[in-house]
Amino acid sequence: MSLTGKHILSSDLFSRDALEQLFELADVLTPVARGRQVTRVLEGAVMASLFFEASTRTRLSCESAFLRLGGGVTSTTGAEVMSIAKGESLADTSRVVSGYCDLIVMRHPETSAVHEFAAATNVPVINGGNGAGEHPTQALLDMFNLHQEFARTGRIMDGRRLALVGDLRHGRTVHSLMKLVSRYEDLTIVCVAPQSLGMPAELLEFVERRGHRIELSDDPETGLKDADLVYSTRLQTERFADRPVPYSDAFRIDKALVSRVCRADAVIMHPLPRDGRPGSNDLATDLNDDPRLAIFRQTDAGIPMRMALFASVLGVADAVRGSLSPATWYRPDYTGPEDAPFYRNVAS
Ligand code: NCD
């Protein structure tokens, strides 16, 4: 299946073959993402990034990925600075912006907005997060990183036990992840959440229809046991107005819990941001020196993965391999002080 010219609104678009092709291309692009090599396959192309909701990782890494491919970026953040604040419709905005660029990345608090936007243009629209709906590019980078983490510890995706933890009802990253993991075989997916924050029923049914086992738990102490992956998420307080939520400190995924219940080779991921304030019930910072914590390898994986996606959607994937040349500027050997053991084998 060719991705050229496609809108990327849901992760269900990607077959297993399409995923594997994207991962291969992301591997080739990793030295470019790390500032070791250069490519100009998108020289002259322009991406517009329109973020109507808070973002650090998605906006900056999409922009960085497009720039590293040789393209240019124009961007705006917040509806209040756009003509939407003067009553302009999403359809008009979409048509106008399409005349300025070759690809649009968009984030919006309403689930339907990205679909309205895509319906009004032939320029590919990439969903950078639509309310509590989906976040397909996050799921792609999560899967790319998870493959690497499993490979490093001698495992493959098929047959694994995956625990998704936290606000599974409003967390769009886990919705897109459910659809992507369902492309693999023989998985057990443990959804660990308070009942009122459980995974939407249609996603549970979707994954079961593709032949996987679902287990539900409201207690991380039992839900995380024997899991190959612990994918922790933040309580999405901005998505439920004034409703008290039963979210106890049992959902603080900290060193004590992980040492008590997790496998020695468990992979611990989180889409970030995590709530790092003292007393918050999220992935705790006392795990920062635990080699099982993949969160920064996960964010790093966002650049090559998004580069692979943009190159494919704009039809230049086949030109990438022949386009690479060495970079000449200074780069530190490892991006973070603790990265050395993990990046020793990455091409430089
Ligand atoms: C998430 C998002 O915005 O959906 N972050 C991200 O893009 N990496 C997760 C969140 O906000 O909790």
Side-chain angles (χ1 to χ4, degrees), residues 54 57-58 107 135 138 172-173 234 236 238-239 271-273:
R57 275 146 290 272
T58 307
R107 168 172 288 187
H135 194 344
Q138 178 70 39
R172 56 195 173 199
T173 67
R234 180 180 67 87
Q236 309 274 304
E238 70 276 26
R239 306 225 184 273
L272 301 182

Coordinates of all heavy atoms in Angstrom, one line a residue, residues 54 57-58 107 135 138 172-173 234 236 238-239 271-273, ligand 1:
A54 N -2.2 22.5 23.5 CA -0.8 22.5 24.0 C 0.0 21.3 23.4 O -0.6 20.2 23.2 CB -0.8 22.4 25.5
R57 N 6.3 17.9 22.4 CA 6.9 16.9 21.6 C 6.4 16.8 20.2 O 7.2 16.8 19.2 CB 6.7 15.5 22.2 CG 7.7 15.1 23.3 CD 7.0 14.2 24.3 NE 6.1 15.1 25.1 CZ 6.5 15.8 26.1 NH1 7.7 15.6 26.6 NH2 5.6 16.6 26.8
T58 N 5.1 16.7 20.0 CA 4.6 16.5 18.7 C 4.9 17.6 17.7 O 5.4 17.4 16.6 CB 3.0 16.2 18.8 OG1 2.8 15.2 19.7 CG2 2.5 15.8 17.4
R107 N -3.3 19.7 15.3 CA -3.8 19.2 16.6 C -5.0 20.0 17.0 O -4.9 21.3 16.9 CB -2.7 19.2 17.7 CG -3.2 19.0 19.1 CD -2.1 18.8 20.1 NE -1.4 17.6 20.0 CZ -0.5 17.1 20.9 NH1 -0.2 17.9 21.9 NH2 0.1 16.0 20.7
H135 N -4.0 9.6 18.1 CA -2.7 10.2 17.9 C -1.8 9.3 17.2 O -0.9 8.7 17.7 CB -2.1 10.5 19.3 CG -1.0 11.5 19.3 ND1 -0.3 11.9 18.2 CD2 -0.5 12.2 20.4 CE1 0.7 12.7 18.6 NE2 0.6 13.0 19.9
Q138 N 2.2 9.3 17.2 CA 2.7 8.9 18.5 C 2.7 7.3 18.6 O 3.7 6.7 19.0 CB 1.9 9.4 19.7 CG 2.3 9.0 21.1 CD 3.7 9.6 21.5 OE1 3.9 10.7 21.2 NE2 4.5 8.8 22.2
R172 N -5.5 9.6 24.0 CA -5.6 9.3 22.6 C -4.4 8.4 22.2 O -4.5 7.7 21.2 CB -5.7 10.6 21.8 CG -4.5 11.5 22.1 CD -4.9 12.9 21.6 NE -3.9 13.9 22.0 CZ -4.2 15.2 22.0 NH1 -5.3 15.7 21.6 NH2 -3.2 16.1 22.3
T173 N -3.3 8.5 22.9 CA -2.1 7.7 22.4 C -2.4 6.2 22.5 O -2.0 5.5 21.6 CB -0.8 8.1 23.2 OG1 -1.0 7.7 24.6 CG2 -0.6 9.6 23.2
R234 N -0.8 9.6 31.5 CA -1.2 10.7 32.4 C -2.7 10.8 32.5 O -3.5 10.6 31.5 CB -0.7 12.0 31.7 CG -0.9 13.3 32.4 CD -0.3 14.5 31.7 NE -1.0 14.7 30.4 CZ -2.0 15.5 30.2 NH1 -2.6 16.1 31.2 NH2 -2.6 15.6 29.0
Q236 N -5.9 12.6 32.1 CA -6.2 13.8 31.2 C -7.2 14.7 31.8 O -8.3 14.8 31.3 CB -6.7 13.2 29.8 CG -5.8 12.1 29.2 CD -4.7 12.6 28.4 OE1 -4.9 13.4 27.4 NE2 -3.5 12.3 28.7
E238 N -7.8 17.7 31.7 CA -8.4 18.8 30.8 C -9.6 18.2 30.0 O -10.3 19.0 29.4 CB -7.3 19.4 29.9 CG -6.8 18.5 28.8 CD -5.6 17.6 29.2 OE1 -5.6 17.2 30.4 OE2 -4.8 17.2 28.3
R239 N -9.7 16.9 30.0 CA -10.8 16.3 29.1 C -12.1 16.0 29.9 O -13.0 15.5 29.3 CB -10.3 15.1 28.4 CG -9.1 15.3 27.6 CD -9.1 14.7 26.3 NE -7.8 14.9 25.7 CZ -7.4 16.0 25.0 NH1 -8.3 16.9 24.8 NH2 -6.2 16.1 24.5
P271 N 3.9 8.2 26.9 CA 4.0 9.1 25.8 C 4.5 10.5 26.2 O 5.0 11.3 25.3 CB 2.5 9.3 25.3 CG 1.7 8.9 26.5 CD 2.5 7.9 27.3
L272 N 4.5 10.8 27.5 CA 4.9 12.1 28.0 C 3.9 13.1 27.5 O 3.3 13.0 26.4 CB 6.3 12.4 27.7 CG 7.4 11.5 28.3 CD1 8.8 12.0 27.9 CD2 7.2 11.2 29.8
P273 N 3.6 14.2 28.2 CA 4.3 14.6 29.5 C 3.8 13.8 30.6 O 2.6 13.4 30.7 CB 3.8 16.1 29.6 CG 2.5 16.1 28.9 CD 2.6 15.2 27.8
Ligands
NCD1 C1 0.2 13.1 24.6 C2 -0.9 13.9 23.9 O1 -0.9 15.1 23.7 O2 -1.8 13.2 23.5 N1 1.4 13.6 24.4 C3 2.1 13.5 23.3 O3 1.7 13.9 22.2 N2 3.3 12.8 23.3 C4 -0.2 12.6 25.9 C5 -0.8 13.5 27.0 O4 -1.1 14.7 26.8 O5 -1.0 13.0 28.1

